[in-house]
Structures are given as C-alpha cells and as structure tokens.
Amino acid sequence: MGAPETLGKQLIKLNCLLADFTRSHHYHSALNLFHHIHSSHTLRPDHYTLSTALTACANVQDAVLGAQIHAFCFRAGLRRFPHVANALLSLYAKSHDLRCVKRLFGEIHNPDVYSWTTLLSACTKLGEVGYALQVFDQMPQRDVAVWNAIITGCAESGYDEVALKLFQKMHSSGVAHDNYTFASVLSLCSLDLWRLGRQVHSAVVKTGFLSRTSVTNALLTMYYNCKSVSDAFRVFEDADDGVIDQITYNAMIAGLVSMERNQEALTMFKRMQNVRLMPTGLTFVSLMSSCSDATVAAQTHSLAVKHGFDDSTSVSNAAIAMYSNCGDLETTWLVFQRIKERDVVSWNSMITSYTQENMCGEAISAYIEMQREQVSADEFTLGSLLSIPQSVSGAEMILSIAIKNGLILKTEVSNSAISSFSKFGEIEQAYMLFCDSRFTRNMVTWNAMISGFQSNGFPTQGLNLFTELLATWLTPNASTLSTVLSSCANIHSLPHGKEIHAYILKFGLFLEPSLGNTLIALYSKCGVLHWAVRVFQTMPVRDSVTWNSMISAYAHHGKGREAIDVFEMMLDCSGGGVRPDTATFTGVLSACSHAGLVKDGIQIFNSMVNTHGVKPRVEHFSCIVDILSRAGYLDEAEKMVKEKTKKNVEVEDSTVWWGLLSSCAAHGNARLGRIVAGILLESERDDPAVYVLLSNIYADAGKWEESASVRELMQRFRVMKQPGSSSLVR
C-alpha cells in the first residue's frame, strides 16, 4: 500500500489525464479511466474526478452511469462542491430529465452563474419556457451569460418572439451584448424582421464585435434569410482575413444556393480552395443541393470523393438527393447501395427519390426493406409515403402504420395526412385530424388546412380558419397570405382582401413577390384595376409571374394597349433575369384579341417564335386566329390554322375551330364555315351548336337549301337543340 502523499500525487496525475480526455472529446477513454480509478483498492475518487467523469457522462448521454456516479457523490458527501453539482445539472439537462434538473437545482445552497444558466437553458429547450421566465424574473443578479442562456434557449426552441422581447429588455436594462447575444438574435431575423437585422448589424459595428467570426457568420446567414445577397457579399468582402473560416465560406455557399444562384456558389467554392481552406462535408452537402445538371452533379460528387468524403453518410445522402433531382435514379440507387452505414436519412432520401417520380410501389418496397434492416421509420419516412398514395385507402393504410409506430401525433405526419386527404376531397377527415388537440400545429399545418379548404371549394371556411390563426402565437407567412388572398379573389371579397393587404404592409411582408402577384390577381378579379396597377408599381421585386399577372389583368379588363405597354416594359427589364414565357404570350395575345389589335398581335406572335424561341401552343394559335377572324381576316386565319395543322400542334383541341366557326357566322363566310363545321363534326357530332351555327351561316348567305339540309341532318342524327328558358318567366 502506497504512502498517502504518493497516492495523492497519483490521483492528481490521473485527474489531469481524465480532464485532458474530456477536453479533447475522448469521452469513452475518460470513462474507462474513471472505471480504473473507481475499481482501484488504493485510489479514492475525489470531487475533481467525479465532476470530470460526470461531464464525460453528460456528453455521451449515459444516464445509467451518471445516476451511479450521482449516488456515489451523495454517499461520499461530495455533492456540496459547486463544480460537482453543476456537472450533475449538466448531466440531467443533456439527458432531457427536467424533473431531476429542477430538483437538483433546488438542493444547491448558493447557485452560481453556471447553475442558473444550465437551469434556464434546460427549461427553455425542454419546453417549459413559462417556468424559465419565472425563474429568470426571480434571479437576484443577471449578467450577460444568464441573458444569453434564456435568449438562446428560446431561440433554439422556436419561441422567436419571446427571445426578441428578451433581447429588447436586455438592451433597455443596460446589459452589454456580447458575440453570443448578437449571433442568437441575428439567427432569428428573416425577411419580415430585416429592419431589426440591420439595427443589430449597426450595434455589432458600433460595439466592435464584427471581428468575431461567429457574428460575421450569423450576419451572412441573416442577410441570406432576408434575401439580400448584396448585403451578404458586403459583409463577406469587408471581413478581415483572420475572421473568415470554413464556416464563413459554407454560409456563403449555402446562402447562394438558397437564392438559386448556383453558378456563384460554385465560384465561391473555388475561392475557398484558392485561399487553401479545406471544404467540409457541409460544403459538399450545400453544393449537391444546388445541382440539377447531370454533368455538374457527377463532377461535384467526384470532388467529394477526392477530398475523402466517400464514406461520409451525410454527403452520400446529399448525393442521393442530387442524382434524384437530376432524374438519374440508376445512379441514385448505386450511391445508396455503396453507403456503409445507412441511417434513417439514407432511407428517407431513397424513399423521397421514388415519391418524386410517383413510384409508389418502389417507395413501399424500400420502406419494407428498411424495416428488415431494423432501421426505425421516423416522421419524415411516413410523411414522404403519405405524399404518394393513389387513393384514400392508400393514405389510410400508411396512416395506420403511423399509428402503430406511435408517430401519428408527429407534426410532419399529420401535416402530410391533412394534405393527402385534402387532395382526395376528404376535407372532413382532414379537418378532424387538424382539430386533434394531441399534436402540435405549426405553420405548415395551418397552411395545409387553409389550402385544403381553398382547393376543395370552401374558401369561406379557409378565411374563417385564417381568423383563428391570427389569434394564436404563430405568424402567417407568405404562403398563408397568398392562399387566403386567392380565397378572397374566388369569392370576390374585396373588403377581406384589403384587410389582408393592410396586414402585409403592417408587418413588412411586401418584399415577397408571390404576395404582390396574388394581390394583382385579387384586385383585377374584383374589378378594381387601378389598385392592381398601384400594387404592381410599388412592388420592389418583380418576377415573371408579376409581369404575367399585370398583363393578364389588363387583358381581363379589355385594356389591350396597356397590356402591350407592360409587355414591352418586361422586355426592357429582361436583362435582370426575367424572360417572357408561354403564359406571358398567352396573356398579351389575349389582350390583343379582346382589343382588336391585329397588327400588334401578329407582330408579337412572330416575335414569340422567331426572337424568343417559345414554341406556340394551342392557346397561342387560338388567340391569333381569334384576332384575325374577329377583324374579318378570315383567309389569313384559315392559313394560320392550316399552318398549325401541318406542324401538328395539338390538332385535337377544338378551341381554335370553334372560334373560327363563330367568326364565320359573324362575317357570313359560308365556304370556310362549311369546312370548319365539317372538322368539328368529326369529333363533336352530337353537339347541336355546330349544326345551328352552320345553318345560320347558310341562311344569312341566302343559301336556303343548304340551311334546310343541315336541319335535316340534325333530325337524321337525332340531335336536338335544347329550348331556351328564363328564370324570370315560369
């Protein structure tokens, strides 16, 4: 047996080694060393040994061993040491055992800052925000670490508004912010809070925290969330070289990908390599999510393998999604087969690949194989499966699997089920699921139900549900507001539409082009064209749908010249990435048709084919034929139709023929009317309108015998014209 002094030195040496293992994240080595100390007949663990071992337990979340060490601390009377008590708090917090956290905290006589912050962080992250706020208000002293704990906890738990109010309270209390405070608050600033984000940015510059890498990275993410690429680039270019790290480049690449600026993301990746910063797995995950071209996808995957990420499950999962987006299911399957350690994300990625191609059988087979490999399905697995059923019974079958696996109350599963039932017209079943109080509704839940009402012909119920949403703590997003605006347009409810417009302006959501586009459609359908024009003129960001909506609004109101003016404005702005598409030409040609602008219509149609390379569809031919025939240019219209027939452009569609036949009746062209009527009768022999129109054409031309022959033809084929009726005369 060694001398007490020698044993003491030996324990100190082992404690230092234990601490080194823990600091270097070798937690299992630390726990093995603790077992060696504890099983020794000569050494007795002291409070340093126990606190370090508890820290290792907390990080590997070994609750059983942690409870055993806790019992040893209690018997040895070592729990009175603050660092031991704090290590126990951390253990139970990371084990998600809030009851033990509260009980243990209550037994600490003089809790220090670490004790308070651990308690507050655990309460906020484990759902007891109200209790955390009560504790916070009762604290005798609150320094920046305590403020950060509760603000960060609320932010990470989805209580954004609470976190922002606490930040404002912290500022008014005179407590100086640090880099952790700024990083947490900046992470909350999205498009509807871009003004606050700018204010925080100013505070960062003023207080000198721009030199902190974490704050710079948070600023980049914030500006991309606010869709301000120029501001993000300004922050990146102004940052000192010592501030920029791999995470900074990853933030830039991920941000550019989120804005669909994929070429710039690749350029940023090249810059990262030029400054000799090695890409991480996250770098390739972001790059792969941007690839829709098979060649670029293969090159990106090759680079990932070259940098040693071929065994990375997360990178392989991203590769599965990438090849799936490229439509290359064969390579998708090969990548999946090569993964050494498939996790639930791997299987979900493969199942999602099948669901995107509507391959229901293959997706179900993958799910069955997943079960054979004893990988437990999660809410995302079943959410994906619910997106593909071909019938209500299929959705109910997958829902029964969710019930069996205890996943029915997961928000993602319920949201998918609501969307699936709505798609099949089972709106009552969808609403019953929505009303189930056992699961937590998020914005996706509300949007799915409001959209379900809208798509199933119940816009008023959708508006009523939107009113209920406003009474909750959730904030409607652009998707919500766009759907309810469409509901207002469908029922021509201008007052409700104006109220929602006011809400959009009040909360600064007008930067979303989709909302401006829906407002233009709303005011146009409600007959308030000048309001549609005002919305269009004040929109800060316009996409192709914006221009198309305004052109269609003018066309709907018979303002052909104004529609052409907007079309020409769109062409002038085409350098900004907005190009006229099929819908654009349909709208402007329709406007020319209604306004009788023959010369303009022909010119625009020719430019569509020859200048912009847009292949004409039946709606374009219908418009140009209508333009010509309404103006009496029936011979030119006939040539256009024959040209359409030669090119075999949707010949089976009868829209063009009906328009031409009506014009023949209006202008008394019996020759062409007989030809067009003959074509229509080949497919629509039982439609009395063809016979009546042709008979009238002959009668107006004084060809009474031909008119009578058509009437006899109606009798022979027993085609009866329905007698007219009036709701006023009974």
Side-chain angles (χ1 to χ4, degrees):
M1 187 172 181
E5 184 178 352
T6 305
L7 291 175
K9 288 181 179 179
Q10 188 179 354
L11 183 61
I12 292 171
K13 184 178 180 180
L14 290 172
N15 282 347
C16 290
L17 183 58
L18 196 64
D20 287 340
F21 279 140
T22 305
R23 277 192 296 269
S24 58
H25 308 297
H26 294 103
Y27 303 119
H28 290 290
S29 299
L31 292 175
N32 288 335
L33 180 58
F34 171 74
H35 282 299
H36 171 72
I37 297 171
H38 185 250
S39 60
S40 170
H41 295 292
T42 56
L43 296 173
R44 184 174 179 81
D46 62 6
H47 49 100
Y48 295 114
T49 318
L50 295 169
S51 63
T52 310
L54 285 167
T55 301
C57 275
N59 282 286
V60 298
Q61 297 186 18
D62 190 338
V64 176
L65 178 59
Q68 292 172 352
I69 299 174
H70 187 179
F72 183 88
C73 294
F74 183 80
R75 289 196 303 270
L78 298 175
R79 203 173 56 177
R80 69 182 185 279
F81 289 96
H83 48 284
V84 175
N86 287 338
L88 282 167
L89 274 178
S90 179
L91 167 71
Y92 289 120
K94 289 184 178 180
S95 300
H96 300 165
D97 191 343
L98 190 56
R99 183 179 61 84
C100 285
V101 171
K102 288 181 180 179
R103 189 189 69 211
L104 189 62
F105 180 84
E107 295 171 358
I108 300 175
H109 296 297
N110 294 305
D112 57 15
V113 172
Y114 187 91
S115 310
W116 286 104
T117 55
T118 304
L119 174 67
L120 292 173
S121 180
C123 289
T124 51
K125 291 177 181 178
L126 297 177
E128 293 203 17
V129 174
Y131 177 80
L133 292 172
Q134 290 178 7
V135 171
F136 181 75
D137 289 336
Q138 294 169 5
M139 287 183 63
Q141 291 183 334
R142 295 178 293 200
D143 62 7
V144 64
V146 174
W147 283 97
N148 286 345
I150 194 164
I151 290 172
T152 304
C154 289
E156 292 179 358
S157 302
Y159 293 88
D160 297 3
E161 293 182 10
V162 177
L164 291 172
K165 287 178 181 177
L166 286 167
F167 173 71
Q168 293 167 349
K169 189 176 179 181
M170 177 184 182
H171 182 73
S172 61
S173 300
V175 180
H177 313 303
D178 64 6
N179 54 311
Y180 297 106
T181 322
F182 287 128
S184 293
V185 173
L186 286 168
S187 69
L188 302 176
C189 297
S190 53
L191 191 59
D192 54 336
L193 293 171
W194 68 274
R195 287 191 179 89
L196 174 62
R198 287 187 176 276
Q199 292 171 357
V200 176
H201 187 178
S202 299
V204 167
V205 175
K206 184 178 179 181
T207 53
F209 281 101
L210 201 56
S211 60
R212 295 296 186 94
T213 302
S214 60
V215 177
T216 298
N217 297 343
L219 278 168
L220 292 175
T221 304
M222 183 271 292
Y223 279 123
Y224 279 118
N225 288 340
C226 294
K227 303 187 184 304
S228 180
V229 179
S230 58
D231 284 320
F233 264 99
R234 195 174 296 115
V235 170
F236 180 77
E237 298 296 349
D238 291 345
D240 295 332
D241 292 340
V243 174
I244 297 177
D245 62 1
Q246 292 166 306
I247 298 174
T248 313
Y249 273 98
N250 285 348
M252 285 296 292
I253 292 169
L256 289 167
V257 168
S258 71
M259 299 296 292
E260 297 184 357
R261 298 173 75 151
N262 301 333
Q263 192 58 47
E264 291 174 74
L266 288 170
T267 303
M268 188 59 62
F269 173 64
K270 291 175 183 176
R271 283 184 64 176
M272 182 182 187
Q273 291 179 305
N274 290 338
V275 297
R276 300 185 184 282
L277 280 174
M278 292 296 292
T280 66
L282 186 59
T283 315
F284 287 107
V285 169
S286 296
L287 287 172
M288 287 177 175
S289 68
S290 71
C291 292
S292 55
D293 179 80
T295 304
V296 178
Q299 291 172 348
T300 306
H301 193 196
S302 297
L303 276 173
V305 173
K306 182 180 176 181
H307 282 85
F309 291 103
D310 50 327
D311 289 335
S312 169
T313 302
S314 61
V315 173
S316 295
N317 293 342
I320 291 172
M322 174 181 67
Y323 286 119
S324 174
N325 290 335
C326 295
D328 188 352
L329 272 182
E330 184 179 351
T331 309
T332 300
W333 174 250
L334 288 174
V335 173
F336 177 76
Q337 289 289 84
R338 285 171 57 88
I339 298 176
K340 293 180 180 179
E341 296 182 8
R342 296 177 195 152
D343 57 12
V344 66
V345 179
S346 310
W347 287 98
N348 288 350
S349 299
M350 198 64 232
I351 290 171
T352 302
S353 299
Y354 286 131
T355 60
Q356 286 174 346
E357 297 296 324
N358 205 28
M359 298 170 70
C360 184
E362 287 80 356
I364 296 294
S365 297
Y367 168 74
I368 294 170
E369 186 63 27
M370 177 184 181
Q371 299 306 297
R372 285 179 185 155
E373 292 198 11
Q374 297 183 334
V375 178
S376 298
D378 62 7
E379 58 270 30
F380 301 105
T381 317
L382 297 178
S384 294
L385 291 173
L386 276 167
S387 68
I388 57 169
Q390 304 297 315
S391 63
V392 178
S393 59
E396 289 175 340
M397 180 188 72
I398 297 169
L399 206 59
S400 66
I401 296 173
I403 295 170
K404 181 180 177 181
N405 288 274
L407 296 170
I408 183 59
L409 298 181
K410 290 287 185 179
T411 306
E412 291 77 10
V413 176
S414 297
N415 292 348
S416 295
I418 289 170
S419 296
S420 186
F421 286 130
S422 297
K423 182 174 73 174
F424 293 116
E426 296 293 329
I427 197 67
E428 290 185 10
Q429 198 164 348
Y431 188 61
M432 284 176 60
L433 189 57
F434 174 84
C435 292
D436 193 326
S437 60
R438 292 175 296 170
F439 83 94
T440 304
R441 302 173 191 160
N442 58 14
M443 273 313 307
V444 178
T445 319
W446 288 87
N447 288 350
M449 196 64 247
I450 293 171
S451 178
F453 278 131
Q454 158 72 4
S455 61
N456 281 276
F458 299 100
T460 304
Q461 286 83 343
L463 289 173
N464 292 338
L465 198 62
F466 174 69
T467 304
E468 291 181 31
L469 169 62
L470 294 177
T472 70
W473 61 273
L474 292 169
T475 303
N477 55 28
S479 178
T480 324
L481 297 166
S482 182
T483 303
V484 293
L485 282 171
S486 296
S487 297
C488 293
N490 287 346
I491 60 175
H492 296 85
S493 178
L494 187 59
H496 281 105
K498 284 186 173 182
E499 288 175 4
I500 297 167
H501 190 178
Y503 181 93
I504 291 168
L505 295 173
K506 179 180 178 182
F507 290 98
L509 299 173
F510 202 60
L511 288 173
E512 284 284 355
S514 61
L515 294 179
N517 301 341
T518 318
L519 281 168
I520 291 171
L522 165 74
Y523 288 127
S524 174
K525 285 185 177 181
C526 291
V528 195
L529 183 60
H530 66 282
W531 270 97
V533 174
R534 184 178 299 181
V535 170
F536 175 78
Q537 291 174 341
T538 54
M539 285 179 68
V541 180
R542 297 171 184 162
D543 57 16
S544 59
V545 179
T546 312
W547 294 96
N548 294 349
S549 298
M550 196 64 244
I551 291 169
S552 297
Y554 276 129
H556 180 71
H557 287 264
K559 304 282 186 180
R561 178 52 56 191
E562 289 83 351
I564 293 174
D565 290 341
V566 174
F567 173 69
E568 290 175 349
M569 285 172 59
M570 181 183 186
L571 295 181
D572 292 338
C573 297
S574 61
V578 178
R579 297 279 190 277
D581 55 16
T582 299
T584 312
F585 288 105
T586 302
V588 72
L589 288 173
S590 176
C592 291
S593 174
H594 293 315
L597 301 173
V598 181
K599 184 178 178 181
D600 295 288
I602 293 172
Q603 184 179 350
I604 290 169
F605 182 83
N606 289 332
S607 74
M608 175 183 77
V609 178
N610 301 323
T611 305
H612 299 284
V614 176
K615 185 178 180 181
R617 294 185 179 180
V618 67
E619 57 266 28
H620 302 128
F621 278 105
S622 180
C623 286
I624 198 68
V625 168
D626 193 51
I627 290 171
L628 292 169
S629 56
R630 280 193 186 198
Y633 298 102
L634 294 177
D635 291 339
E636 287 79 359
E638 183 182 6
K639 289 179 184 177
M640 183 67 70
V641 172
K642 287 180 178 177
E643 185 68 21
K644 167 184 179 289
T645 306
K646 285 180 184 178
K647 293 182 179 180
N648 196 30
V649 181
E650 298 187 44
V651 179
E652 71 279 0
D653 192 284
S654 61
T655 307
V656 177
W657 304 114
W658 275 109
L660 193 54
L661 183 61
S662 298
S663 295
C664 289
H667 293 279
N669 191 321
R671 180 193 65 80
L672 184 58
R674 179 176 57 80
I675 295 171
V676 175
I679 293 170
L680 280 170
L681 287 173
E682 289 179 5
S683 58
E684 303 183 34
R685 178 169 291 182
D686 295 332
D687 192 333
V690 182
Y691 300 93
V692 172
L693 273 173
L694 183 58
S695 176
N696 291 341
I697 289 171
Y698 282 136
D700 290 340
K703 298 182 177 183
W704 303 107
E705 291 183 7
E706 287 86 345
S707 177
S709 297
V710 173
R711 297 283 179 176
E712 289 174 6
L713 198 63
M714 283 182 70
Q715 293 177 358
R716 186 188 310 167
F717 289 114
R718 297 181 180 181
V719 179
M720 300 295 295
K721 180 180 180 295
Q722 294 295 325
S725 62
S726 172
S727 58
L728 300 177
V729 181
R730 298 290 182 185

